[in-house]
Amino acid sequence: MSTVRDNLMSRPGYSPYCGNMQCKTMPRTTWNGAQFRCFECGWASGFPAEFITEYKTRWGLGG
Ligand SMILES: [Zn+2]
C-alpha cells in the first residue's frame, strides 16, 4: 500500500495533494464523494473503485 493510501485509511480528514504538475498551487484536494478533486485546476484522483469502497467503508461515507 502506498503512503498516500496508508494515510487516507489511517488519518481522519486526510487528503492528498493535487497530482497535476501544471497546477498553479497544487493544494490539497477535497473529497467529492467519489474521488479527491482539486478546486484549483479540477484535477481528480484516479483511485480504483476497490480502494474507494474501502475508504468509504473506513470512514462511514456514503452507502
Ligand atoms: Zn490542481
Side-chain angles (χ1 to χ4, degrees), residues 19-54:
N20 174 13
M21 293 303 171
Q22 315 300 322
C23 187
K24 236 194 287 183
T25 58
M26 292 185 75
R28 283 193 185 275
T29 53
T30 51
W31 173 248
N32 74 353
Q35 291 287 340
F36 293 88
R37 196 172 169 88
C38 174
F39 62 81
E40 175 79 48
C41 72
W43 177 89
S45 58
F47 291 111
E50 191 181 284
F51 175 77
I52 293 299
T53 300
E54 279 177 34

Side-chain angles (χ1 to χ4, degrees), residues 1 5-11 51 54-55 58-59:
M1 187 181 269
R5 288 193 194 194
D6 200 35
N7 287 338
L8 284 169
M9 294 302 278
S10 60
R11 300 192 195 180
F51 175 77
E54 279 177 34
Y55 177 80
R58 170 71 178 85
W59 302 109

